[in-house]
Each structure stands twice: as structure tokens, then as C-alpha cells.
Amino acid sequence: MKANRDEKIFSAICHVFVTMAAISCLIPLMNLFSISISGAEAVVSGKVSIFPVQLSFESYKTLFKISPVIRAFRNSLFLTVVGVFLNIAFSVLAAYPLSRPYFKGRAFLSKFIVFTMLISGGILPNFILMKSLGLINSYGSIWLITLISTYNVLIMKSFFQNIPNELSEAACVDGCGEFRLLIKIILPLSKALLATITLFYMVANWNEFLNTLMFIGDPKKYTMTVVVQEMIRNSSMLSDAAFMDPETAKNMTGEGIQAAGIFVMMVPMLCAYPFLQRYFVKGVMLGSIKG
Amino acid sequence: MRSQNLRHNKSETATLTWSIHLKRFYSRNIKRSLPLYIMFLPIIIYYTIFRYLPIGGLIIAFKDYRIMDGIMGSAWVGFDNFIKLFSNPYCLKVLYNTVFLRLLSIIIGFPVPIILAIMINEIKKKWFKTSVQTLIYLPYFLSWVIVAGMVVSIFGQGNGSILNHYIKMFTGYTIPFLNTPKSWIMIFVGAGIWKDSGFNTILFLSALTTIDPTLYESAAMDGAGKFKQIWHITLPGITSTIIVVLILSLGRVMQMGFDQIYMLQNAAVNDVADVVVTYIFRVGIQQGNYSLTSAMSLLESLIAFIFIFTSNKIARRFGESLW
């Protein structure tokens, strides 16, 4: 009897606590969204908390007019698409040989790359390196620095290792090369893995901030993260720019534009998230297998 | 004559067997791996230039680095930069802040995913479970720029900020949460937990599924309450995952995520919020004081290395280790 009552109390506590945690993840999003689509007067008087008040899209209109958000969005998209493609290609090239049991020296080469997870030179030598390569102000610097994530390579390697050997051996009876084996047999069998790793790289590229800040000085090449960050830092400047035109000023607040900018940046992630969530869970679990 | 011939033969067989060995070694080992070496060559080059060379670049910590002279041409100064570093109270403060904020984040944040996982595991309704998980994993996908925007919008003193709106309603004034060191530290740590807990929750949830459910049944039959079951079955069942995750986070004790600290800090809390990576960014990269900051970077790597090694040693006592 007592155990039964215990169980019920415990279950109730769990439900309440977990619901609170979930709501805490939702409220900030709704708050931002509501601010971005509420009327200026409602925002200033603090009426907006979770739900929009006096629906208005002025914030978005002004945002697109006064800030380089559209260009930054295009830059981020370009950086991410090319970046993810390069990431995947080179990660496969790294992971596949390390997953072959007959690859001589794989133990040493695995250590060679894993060691860099333990110790790194930090941001300063990277900066000097890129400067001496003349890659400052070019996206090449960002693509190169983030080309391979050793963590993702280890996930891929352990996945390739678990593909039954018979499959590749059967395919290789008539002597096909390693490259063909990789492209014709291994990769088609790893679609779920590739989706997962693509997701990880996509998030990393889209959210890339430090390297852009360090290497890209040309405002025309700024990405979403840098532009939105500047908007948050200098929100007063933003409202000044909007207030130049007294007609807009009436319907505008700095907070509104800022929230709109943040939301525009969030859109791709929010769109992709429902489809990619299960790959995310899979990927995290794959990563927990010690490689 | 005969003996000479014999000797000649002997050496010939020796060279013969040697070349056979070499050939055999080649065909057995290298030949099959050759395409793989070709495939892996770009990776070796990449890691050498973009991972190992920068580590070597920290050598400028012992030099008076001038861009004109290059890394090799700059003059050696021995430990001058380190002496400068240790005699500068601000540098020591920055190092202290790094360790303090990271350790605090780990100590407070570490149990959260474990508790979340155990509680989510307790939920039986499938739809409820999936929607809760969907929401809890979401912050992991958001950039720190977005999270910082949310923090300002909730805790700031601007017009839109929720918290101060209600505080003002009741008390008539606002509280500068983000400009007071103590509350800033709490917000900083909390934001980190909010964003990153989802990732480890997944790990612990999958570890929980490996626990044999019959254990719970027999424990319940013996009259063990829910909390006893968690203490004696659930926690021991996921200990190895807990230890691995803990080592990994301790190993990253010096790797303060730049984005998080850079976007949350402000001038009012600089005293507690300036850490190694932001200091290097400001003084090293923006002001060009390469040598002093690379000394700091080297020191940071050293501390990180010690942390990883010690935590791995401790883990070995529990029968777990990373290598």
C-alpha cells in the first residue's frame, strides 16, 4: 500500500517537474516571437509577455529596411551549405580508412587525431596562421578551421566499423578498389549516419560566431550571428536608426527589431528541427559508444 | 675456392630472403592499405597544418613576437612573458574567473540531465514524453546569440523584459540583474544549463534503457520504495555513463565556450566575467599583444591537460577510463 502511494507521489512530482522544464524551454521563444510581432506601444508599456498584443509586423518591415539582415542571411546560408559539404567529404575521408581493420598504422593514426581533442593551440595561433596564409576576410579561413570535427569522425568511424564485413567482402570479390567500395557500398548503407553528421555540422556552421568575428572584417561578408549580435549589443543605436524617420518611430521599438532579427536567424533551425530531431538523438547515442 | 663460393652463396641467399620478406611484407600489409593511405593523406596534412602547427605556434610565449620578424625570427626572451603574466594581478584574476565559472557550471549543471532523464523515464504516456523531449532538446540547436537575446529580454531592464516588468509593478523600481556580479553569475550558469542539458539527457536516457526492468519488480516486491529503487538500482545502473560524462566535462574545464561568455558579459560585470578566451581575443587579437596572451594560452592548455589527466586517473579507480 505504502509503496503504491509512494509511486503515485513520485510520478506526480516527475510530471510537474518535467513539464516545468519543458515550459521553461518554450517561454523565451514565445516571448521573443510575441515581442517581434506586437505593436510598439504594447512593447514599451510592457504588456507583452508570452502572447502578442496588438498584432503588427512593423518590426520586420523596419528590420529588413534598416539592417543588412537579408544579405547576412544569404551569407550564412552560403557559408553553411559549402561548409557542410566540405565537412562531410573530409570527415568521410578521415573516418573510412580508420574503420578498416587491415589499415596498417590505424592505431597510431587514430591517436594522432584524437590527441588534438585533448590539447589545442587556442584561438591566437589560428589567427596568426590564417593571417600568414592571407585568408583574412575570406570564408576560406572559416571553412579550413572548422573542416573536420574529430568528435564527428570518431562517431563515423565506429559506425563504419559496425557495418558487417561480409557485405564489403562480397562486393570486393571481383576486386573493386577502396574508393568504389566506399561510394557504392559503405555510404549507401550509412544514410542515417550521414543525416546525423550533416545535422551536427549544419548547426555548428549556422551558429558559427567566433571565427567569423576573428577572420571576417568586411561588413559585407558578415553572417547572421555577427549582425544579430551587433544588434543586441547596440540596441539603442538600432532604435536611433529607426527613429530617424518619425513616421516609423511611432510604430517601432528597438526591442521589437531586435526580437525580429533573432527570430529570422532562428527560422532555419526551427524549420529543420522537427524532421531532424530523431537523427539528433541517434547521433548523440552513437557518440556515447567509445570509439 | 670452395669456401669463397660458399660464402658468396650465403650472402646471395641472405639478400634473396631479405627481398622476399620485403615483398611479402609489402603485399601483405602495404599493398592493401595503399589506397587507404592515399585517402588519408589529406587528413594527415590537414591535422599537421591546422591542428599541430598552431600548438607549436605557442612557442611565441617564449619570444618577443613581432609580425615583421615572423615566429622564427623573433628574439627569445625565455620566461619573461610568464613573469609579466604572474606579476599582473588582472591576468591572475582572468585565470581565476575561468576556472571558477567553469567549475561552478559543472558542479551545478552536472546533476540536472541525470535528474531530468530519471524523471522523463518515469513518464508513461508516449505523446507527453516525446513532446517534452522535443522541447528540452531544442535549446541545443540555438546559437548563443539567440540565447543572449533571450536573456536580455527576460532579465534586462529594457521595456520588453518580462521579469523587471513584474518587479516594477509590485515594487516600483527595477533590479539590474545583468549588471550585478552575483546575479550575473547565476544567470550565466543558468543559461548554460538551459542550453546544454538536453544533450546529456539523451545520453542518460539511453543508459537508463539498459537497466533490467525485473530488478525494479523484485525490489518493489521486497518493499523498496521509489527513492530506494532509484538509489540502489537506477543510479548504480548508469554510474559508468555518469563517470564518462563527468570526466569529459572536467577535461573541458578550461575550454570556456567563447560564444557564451562573450555574448553574456557586459562592462558592469567585467570583474567576474572576463575569462582567458575573451582576454586573449581582446588583448591578443584586437590589440596585437601576441606574446603575453600566448603565454596565457599555454598556461591554459597546461591546466586543462592536468585536469584531463587527473580526472582520467580518478576514473580508472572506478574501472572507467577514456584511454
Side-chain angles (χ1 to χ4, degrees), chain B residues 9-260:
Chain B
N9 269 350
K10 232 182 195 168
S11 70
E12 201 167 63
T13 24
T15 35
L16 203 69
T17 44
W18 197 76
S19 74
I20 286 175
H21 274 308
L22 194 71
K23 255 186 199 151
R24 213 176 269 162
F25 179 80
Y26 171 78
S27 60
R28 266 199 203 146
N29 298 316
I30 309 290
K31 198 178 168 194
R32 202 165 176 204
S33 301
L34 198 62
L36 295 176
Y37 282 124
I38 295 170
M39 211 183 270
F40 204 72
L41 190 65
I43 310 301
I44 295 178
I45 296 172
Y46 175 77
Y47 270 90
T48 311
I49 297 179
F50 292 97
R51 295 288 189 272
Y52 283 96
L53 199 64
I55 299 174
L58 286 181
I59 197 174
I60 59 175
F62 302 101
K63 289 190 165 203
D64 179 21
Y65 179 69
R66 286 165 212 272
I67 301 176
M68 302 293 289
D69 301 335
I71 292 179
M72 286 302 143
S74 297
W76 291 97
V77 292
F79 284 91
D80 273 14
N81 289 314
F82 290 91
I83 293 168
K84 253 188 234 159
L85 188 100
F86 279 110
S87 54
N88 182 345
Y90 192 77
C91 289
L92 295 179
K93 175 162 236 135
V94 164
L95 279 168
Y96 171 79
N97 284 347
T98 313
V99 177
F100 175 74
L101 284 178
R102 261 317 269 171
L103 273 183
L104 195 69
S105 298
I106 291 172
I107 292 167
I108 299 178
F110 183 69
V112 174
I114 303 175
I115 297 168
L116 270 177
I118 290 175
M119 288 185 156
I120 290 174
N121 204 36
E122 210 56 38
I123 292 167
K124 297 292 177 295
K125 280 182 213 106
K126 188 107 202 299
W127 67 268
F128 188 65
K129 203 170 174 172
T130 27
S131 36
V132 161
Q133 278 171 288
T134 304
L135 284 175
I136 288 176
Y137 303 157
L138 180 64
Y140 175 82
F141 291 83
L142 304 179
S143 129
W144 270 109
V145 178
I146 294 171
V147 180
M150 289 171 174
V151 165
V152 171
S153 153
I154 293 172
F155 298 101
Q157 286 175 295
N159 292 321
S161 39
I162 313 181
L163 200 58
N164 266 322
H165 172 67
Y166 289 110
I167 290 174
K168 200 175 178 183
M169 227 158 66
F170 290 113
T171 62
Y173 52 86
T174 58
I175 301 173
F177 290 108
L178 292 171
N179 299 334
T180 319
K182 270 195 185 131
S183 56
W184 182 86
I185 290 174
M186 268 164 14
I187 290 167
F188 173 85
V189 171
I193 293 171
W194 184 80
K195 185 166 166 3
D196 294 332
S197 288
F199 195 87
N200 285 341
T201 304
I202 298 177
L203 285 183
F204 290 122
L205 267 175
S206 77
L208 283 175
T209 56
T210 60
I211 297 174
D212 184 2
T214 55
L215 286 176
Y216 291 106
E217 283 161 29
S218 44
M221 248 187 288
D222 289 343
K226 206 69 215 180
F227 294 99
K228 272 199 169 157
Q229 286 179 27
I230 288 175
W231 188 251
H232 291 289
I233 300 171
T234 312
L235 284 178
I238 57 172
T239 309
S240 64
T241 312
I242 293 178
I243 289 173
V244 170
V245 172
L246 190 62
I247 304 172
L248 281 175
S249 51
L250 278 178
R252 283 195 290 260
V253 93
M254 296 306 283
Q255 283 175 21
M256 169 82 65
F258 175 84
D259 298 10
Q260 179 183 5

Side-chain angles (χ1 to χ4, degrees), chain A residues 40-53:
Chain A
E41 191 212 328
V43 173
V44 172
S45 58
K47 279 184 198 144
V48 185
S49 53
I50 304 174
F51 298 106
V53 181

Side-chain angles (χ1 to χ4, degrees), chain A residues 72-129:
Chain A
F73 195 92
R74 231 185 295 130
N75 287 343
S76 275
L77 215 57
F78 176 63
L79 190 80
T80 303
V81 170
V82 178
V84 168
F85 177 76
L86 292 172
N87 288 150
I88 294 287
F90 279 89
S91 301
V92 168
L93 283 186
Y96 177 72
L98 292 179
S99 73
R100 299 294 94 183
Y102 48 83
F103 181 43
K104 281 287 149 188
R106 73 195 260 267
F108 169 74
L109 290 173
S110 293
K111 281 195 189 115
F112 177 74
I113 69 165
V114 169
F115 184 70
T116 60
M117 287 171 90
L118 302 179
I119 198 162
S120 79
I123 59 173
L124 194 69
N126 282 350
F127 181 72
I128 297 176
L129 180 64

Side-chain angles (χ1 to χ4, degrees), chain A residues 29-40 43 52 54-70 73 224 228 231 238 242 248 251-267 270:
Chain A
L29 290 181
M30 291 183 66
N31 172 243
L32 273 183
F33 185 58
S34 304
I35 290 178
S36 77
I37 59 167
S38 291
V43 173
Q54 304 166 348
L55 212 59
S56 136
F57 295 98
E58 280 306 313
S59 299
Y60 286 93
K61 274 186 207 155
T62 323
L63 174 77
F64 292 133
K65 207 161 64 189
I66 65 163
S67 80
V69 155
I70 295 177
F73 195 92
M224 274 308 272
V228 173
M231 273 167 51
L238 200 69
T248 4
N251 324 315
M252 270 313 319
T253 59
E255 285 88 356
I257 308 174
Q258 202 176 301
I262 292 173
F263 214 78
V264 169
M265 183 178 161
M266 222 170 356
V267 163
L270 288 183

